[in-house]
Amino acid sequence: MLKFYACLIWTLSLGLDVLSQGDMVVPTPSRVVQSKGVHVLPDMLQINDENLPEYSKDVLKQWVTKELKKNLLFNAAGNDITFQRLQNVPADSYTIDILNGIKISYSSDASCFYALQTLFQLVDREAGTVANCFVSDQPKFAWRGMHLDVSRHFYTVDEIKRYLDLMAHYKFNTFHWHLTDDQGWRIEIRKYPKLTQIGSVRAQSLVGHASNNPEVFDGVKEEGYYSQNDIREIVAYANKRYINVVPEIEMPGHASAAIAAYPELNCLDTTVKVVEKWGVFEDVFCTKPQTMQFLKDVLEEVCQLFPSEYIHIGGDEVPKAHWEKCGNCQKTMADHRLKNTHELQSYFIREMDVFLTSRGKKLIGWDEILEGGLSENATVMSWRGTSGGIEAAKKEHFVVMSPTSHCYFDHYQGESAKEPLAIGGYLPLEKVFHFNPIPDALEPYQANYILGAQANLWTEYIANVKHLDYMIFPRLLALSEVVWSTNKCDYEQFIVKLENKQLPFLDEKGVNYSTTHRRTKTEVVEKNGQIKIVAKASNPNWTVEISSKGKPSMAGTGSSFYDLKPTNFPMKELYRVETKDGETVVGVDTVVINNQPFLGKKWTISPEPSEHYSGKGAVSLTDGIIGSRPWNGKEWLGFQTDTITFTYDYGQDGRHNTIELNLLEASSSWIYLPKKIRCTYYKANGKKRGSVEIQAYAERIGFVQKKAKYAKVEIQVIMDDKIPAGQPGEGQKPWFFISEIITLP
Ligand code: TNX
């Protein structure tokens, strides 16, 4: 049914009467020119393999026999499919010309493979035909990446191969393999066998969210590693599919598993176990010569195993507490005239850069490698937003964009209450689709330093392939549009492609993709001071009805709304949103409104919240929605400043006895309660009437001001300067998150 409606939207919006397969290809080709008629594929395809690269020949044979269920014959005179290799055309470009036969022209072995992936999507397998058309295509970015963390949870060789197959179909060419971290060392290093003997086994894992208190563990061992033969097998498998495998060996932080295996790598004389929970830990590699040599020995083996020019050395989240106390590190600092531990970190990365460069490789690291000075040949992977990437590109270093805001596939893709447990955040399909890896802040020549983008898949909360699929798909398809397409379609068309062609394809492949994008979108919005619940179905022909206490109040085709009125006292009320296709209920949603006298009133906020966490502006604080936990970006206002002031001006004598703030504490996401909160009351003549100052000890915090009248109230939030040592984001400015201000009479 969904498929039918999706066709209908497409047809209506474009005024076309025929839907063509050429319009269904993901990622969208640079150009598709549709002509009349179809080409019928014979039962025995005659294929001219004169200019057909070996691997593409295998791929084509597999596809024709297994998927198309026809036969084929390779011969020099065959003209059902012919191939031509072109010179002096853009790198990795190809064309497909379909008229009385299929002619593929390409510039590289890889682009012949890409042409076939497009052809497979163009063919109507049921009918055994392909519509006459001309396609020309080339990639937008050279780095089209997907990442996988196999440390927090281990994935087998076969599971990785399946992932690579799906990546290749959508024209990704880089697999960033996160092989080591605090919770497991997963690559065999011949010189140091204990790395895998000890470092690849974790006794148990944390259950639930890292912010839960008390912590609960599952008592189940998590283990696994890749032998050097496994690694070679995966690298060869990926390379065959034109995917470069970039290994990541984390240093100097996220090193607990290695230190558990070889305690002498540590600064302090303490023993460490392979970590069983999620976060940032203080046991980092020491900068003494023995540890540096160990890391170079590890990289030596890594360089031999991976043909990749790029080797990722991590570099993120390095607590400096041990370095500050360690005699060896103090000596390294004195010997090399380093002013502080940031410079020590830079020294560390520089040593690795020199080593990798001497082996003909290029170093890439997370954006923390900018701190204390960027090493000469380093490429930066920008994850804490795009600012690190902008800074590096301005310094004429290469950059891969992977900001948490658009590329963290471990974040929620829908409302957290309706999704499997995730680390936090909010990254819906549409947001991935609209990502632009080239920030406006760059001049065109600087933009050339942006190699491309990649999505990261951290697996703290993802323990099996079914869940992995759910987090990756269909967001990977949206990212393929971002990194490949020079002529991205619009989001509505993208959804039609998904529903008509791509999700059925993923079904065939047994992929457990998410269907969150099909949910009715229920939002609480403000218009002219009026707060409304607005519900919009993903299909314009479905009916939507919003009801409260069993009483239906509105039904609409495609969408519906419900106007809310402020109550004189605080009140919680549940609204039910029901979506129907004819008589069949296709979705039920609920919205809880925390009503109050100030519903929809606007507090003045200074400074403005961060552009990434600006919710719906000031009205977010009085829209009746208390932010859910783990937090979901769109329900919160987020600030990364020293003080934040909220003011409400009654204009005349007003009064509320209690003002309650709903705040967030989520240290794993760098979000903290304030150091203190000061509330000041003013009279109508502008004079101060009084003030109270409190410590913020909880996420729900209130002020009581009995009897006194006042005309204006000002709430000032004061933050600590730095995230404490040993916490994720150590030394950074903490974030302040607020979801609601409730005033009680
Ligand atoms: C930050 S991104 C990390 C990882 C976590 C991830 C969770 C980065 C360079 N470091 O260690 O797994 O957040 O989203």
Side-chain angles (χ1 to χ4, degrees):
M1 201 54 171
L2 197 67
K3 195 164 161 180
F4 166 74
Y5 282 125
C7 290
L8 203 67
I9 317 169
W10 174 253
T11 316
L12 292 179
S13 62
L14 286 178
L16 294 175
D17 43 20
V18 200
L19 248 182
S20 83
Q21 300 290 337
D23 299 318
M24 293 299 141
V25 177
V26 170
T28 308
S30 309
R31 201 153 76 99
V32 180
V33 184
Q34 213 72 55
S35 39
K36 286 215 175 87
V38 296
H39 176 64
V40 180
L41 299 168
D43 286 339
M44 172 68 82
L45 279 118
Q46 306 274 334
I47 295 166
N48 185 331
D49 61 346
E50 233 179 325
N51 291 306
L52 180 55
E54 209 44 47
Y55 181 62
S56 283
K57 190 168 167 177
D58 290 351
V59 169
L60 184 56
K61 190 170 161 191
Q62 286 288 325
W63 182 79
V64 170
T65 53
K66 301 257 159 63
E67 317 261 333
L68 188 62
K69 304 214 160 50
K70 290 186 183 281
N71 289 313
L72 82 175
L73 200 66
F74 290 111
N75 65 44
N79 61 2
D80 286 317
I81 312 183
T82 56
F83 295 88
Q84 184 184 16
R85 185 187 273 271
L86 299 179
Q87 251 117 48
N88 304 323
V89 287
D92 291 343
S93 63
Y94 69 86
T95 64
I96 307 176
D97 195 356
I98 304 174
L99 189 74
N100 306 320
I102 300 166
K103 286 193 205 84
I104 291 178
S105 304
Y106 62 87
S107 62
S108 62
D109 287 5
S111 64
C112 182
F113 174 78
Y114 295 143
L116 289 180
Q117 302 310 310
T118 301
L119 178 68
F120 300 162
Q121 294 193 20
L122 289 172
V123 171
D124 180 339
R125 279 181 288 156
E126 246 166 67
T129 59
V130 55
N132 290 332
C133 65
F134 176 77
V135 176
S136 84
D137 201 9
Q138 68 185 82
K140 181 158 185 177
F141 289 105
W143 187 297
R144 304 184 296 278
M146 286 297 301
H147 151 288
L148 181 64
D149 163 14
V150 294
S151 169
R152 275 60 176 267
H153 282 99
F154 181 71
Y155 289 89
T156 64
V157 171
D158 285 342
E159 288 167 343
I160 291 183
K161 286 182 176 170
R162 174 176 173 272
Y163 187 30
L164 291 166
D165 280 332
L166 290 161
M167 281 172 60
H169 180 64
Y170 291 105
K171 304 185 174 96
F172 282 83
N173 68 351
T174 309
F175 174 51
H176 173 169
W177 200 3
H178 185 79
L179 286 160
T180 73
D181 214 304
D182 298 298
Q183 297 83 0
W185 182 283
R186 311 261 176 239
I187 171 174
E188 178 192 14
I189 299 295
R190 294 266 159 89
K191 192 160 183 184
Y192 300 103
K194 284 195 275 182
L195 282 174
T196 39
Q197 282 160 10
I198 296 173
S200 76
V201 187
R202 171 167 89 233
Q204 53 181 0
S205 311
L206 190 74
V207 178
H209 200 268
S211 58
N212 288 357
N213 201 352
E215 288 171 340
V216 179
F217 293 88
D218 62 5
V220 181
K221 217 196 290 182
E222 169 81 18
E223 62 182 324
Y225 70 90
Y226 309 96
S227 68
Q228 295 208 344
N229 281 340
D230 292 338
I231 303 261
R232 279 190 209 96
E233 189 179 325
I234 286 179
V235 168
Y237 191 89
N239 288 174
K240 241 185 164 176
R241 288 154 183 77
Y242 308 99
I243 294 174
N244 180 39
V245 183
V246 178
E248 180 182 351
I249 307 295
E250 267 272 22
M251 62 185 82
H254 291 286
S256 309
I259 294 172
Y262 293 99
E264 61 273 24
L265 300 171
N266 204 351
C267 289
L268 310 180
D269 223 2
T270 50
T271 50
V272 165
K273 56 180 180 173
V274 179
V275 180
E276 296 162 3
K277 54 186 181 181
W278 323 125
V280 173
F281 305 92
E282 289 194 351
D283 296 287
V284 303
F285 288 121
C286 181
T287 62
K288 64 191 167 200
Q290 299 90 307
T291 306
M292 299 301 271
Q293 189 53 48
F294 160 86
L295 288 166
K296 289 175 191 171
D297 291 343
V298 167
L299 289 179
E300 186 80 79
E301 292 192 28
V302 167
C303 288
Q304 277 166 26
L305 282 168
F306 292 88
S308 171
E309 193 181 19
Y310 283 99
I311 304 289
H312 203 301
I313 52 75
D316 61 310
E317 302 180 320
V318 190
K320 312 285 188 310
H322 290 191
W323 285 359
E324 299 283 358
K325 283 185 268 183
C326 165
N328 284 315
C329 290
Q330 295 303 317
K331 181 169 184 311
T332 316
M333 285 170 65
D335 288 351
H336 298 273
R337 301 192 183 166
L338 306 170
K339 287 202 279 297
N340 52 38
T341 48
H342 286 292
E343 289 193 4
L344 182 58
Q345 178 172 335
S346 230
Y347 155 83
F348 186 106
I349 304 295
R350 219 165 252 138
E351 283 283 296
M352 298 305 150
D353 187 4
V354 169
F355 177 80
L356 289 173
T357 304
S358 77
R359 296 298 184 274
K361 302 288 193 185
K362 284 187 182 160
L363 177 146
I364 181 165
W366 301 109
D367 56 60
E368 282 91 334
I369 66 171
L370 280 154
E371 294 162 6
L374 187 56
S375 188
E376 200 183 345
N377 304 310
T379 295
V380 170
M381 193 168 264
S382 193
W383 74 281
R384 298 174 302 173
T386 51
S387 56
I390 293 171
E391 186 185 334
K394 286 191 170 164
K395 291 183 172 145
E396 306 188 352
H397 283 252
F398 287 109
V399 171
V400 176
M401 284 297 186
S402 195
T404 49
S405 57
H406 293 79
C407 293
Y408 270 49
F409 286 7
D410 59 335
H411 287 187
Y412 285 106
Q413 52 200 314
E415 281 170 65
S416 52
K418 294 171 199 147
E419 293 288 327
L421 180 72
I423 190 164
Y426 180 58
L427 179 55
L429 182 66
E430 190 167 357
K431 192 163 179 198
V432 178
F433 183 85
H434 290 302
F435 180 46
N436 178 5
I438 303 207
D440 292 342
L442 294 180
E443 298 294 334
Y445 85 92
Q446 294 165 333
N448 289 334
Y449 287 98
I450 310 292
L451 295 175
Q454 85 178 26
N456 295 336
L457 214 71
W458 301 102
T459 58
E460 289 96 328
Y461 297 89
I462 307 170
N464 56 57
V465 173
K466 234 181 133 192
H467 191 185
L468 193 74
D469 276 0
Y470 183 87
M471 301 308 274
I472 298 177
F473 297 99
R475 289 189 286 194
L476 173 139
L477 279 71
L479 187 69
S480 80
E481 290 282 341
V482 170
V483 292
W484 174 278
S485 188
T486 52
N487 186 23
K488 193 160 83 171
C489 62
D490 65 32
Y491 183 68
E492 284 67 34
Q493 289 171 27
F494 175 69
I495 292 296
V496 175
K497 291 178 182 202
L498 283 191
E499 296 298 349
N500 277 9
K501 180 92 191 177
Q502 303 299 336
L503 299 182
F505 167 79
L506 294 177
D507 277 328
E508 271 177 42
K509 299 281 166 208
V511 174
N512 178 44
Y513 53 83
S514 154
T515 55
T516 300
H517 66 275
R518 286 183 192 158
R519 277 191 206 140
T520 293
K521 206 172 181 181
T522 309
E523 283 178 317
V524 175
V525 300
E526 180 253 3
K527 214 172 171 196
N528 306 327
Q530 171 80 58
I531 297 284
K532 312 164 169 284
I533 299 176
V534 178
K536 188 163 178 263
S538 62
N539 184 315
N541 298 300
W542 292 345
T543 54
V544 184
E545 183 178 274
I546 306 175
S547 60
S548 164
K549 296 195 190 100
K551 274 182 272 156
S553 43
M554 273 288 188
T557 307
S559 66
S560 180
F561 68 93
Y562 193 114
D563 286 335
L564 301 171
K565 303 218 166 8
T567 47
N568 289 330
F569 44 84
M571 188 184 86
K572 242 189 198 174
E573 188 163 4
L574 187 119
Y575 295 82
R576 184 181 145 95
V577 181
E578 195 176 88
T579 309
K580 283 186 184 165
D581 177 3
E583 285 308 303
T584 319
V585 178
V586 289
V588 177
D589 201 0
T590 53
V591 188
V592 176
I593 299 290
N594 284 261
N595 209 331
Q596 56 150 321
F598 264 38
L599 188 78
K601 297 229 158 112
K602 285 185 193 148
W603 288 75
T604 307
I605 309 171
S606 170
E608 294 281 308
S610 143
E611 55 168 327
H612 300 300
Y613 306 109
S614 56
K616 36 194 128 139
V619 83
S620 296
L621 298 175
T622 52
D623 62 355
I625 303 290
I626 303 280
S628 48
R629 287 146 176 98
W631 68 282
N632 185 324
K634 67 174 185 173
E635 295 165 350
W636 299 89
L637 297 185
F639 303 81
Q640 205 182 21
T641 46
D642 294 326
T643 61
I644 306 105
T645 309
F646 302 93
T647 316
Y648 195 85
D649 198 339
Y650 289 76
Q652 55 186 10
D653 272 354
R655 194 193 73 178
H656 282 95
N657 278 348
T658 307
I659 299 176
E660 184 186 300
L661 310 182
N662 264 277
L663 312 179
L664 183 67
E665 188 174 23
S667 60
S668 55
S669 303
W670 313 4
I671 301 166
Y672 283 79
L673 292 176
K675 184 157 78 179
K676 51 188 178 208
I677 304 176
R678 192 180 300 133
C679 191
T680 313
Y681 303 90
Y682 296 90
K683 296 192 224 172
N685 63 8
K687 289 232 171 80
K688 210 169 164 180
R689 195 164 208 316
S691 102
V692 218
E693 194 173 286
I694 55 163
Q695 302 295 319
Y697 50 84
E699 292 185 324
R700 248 184 93 183
I701 193 127
F703 299 89
V704 185
Q705 180 73 354
K706 287 222 168 98
K707 297 193 190 91
K709 286 199 171 166
Y710 51 87
K712 192 171 98 173
V713 55
E714 185 184 273
I715 301 168
Q716 200 176 32
V717 170
I718 298 134
M719 297 299 289
D720 271 317
D721 326 329
K722 277 186 186 156
I723 293 175
Q727 294 297 323
E730 157 181 4
Q732 298 283 325
K733 196 173 272 308
W735 284 84
F736 169 73
F737 269 52
I738 180 165
S739 86
E740 201 74 359
I741 302 182
I742 299 181
T743 46
L744 314 182

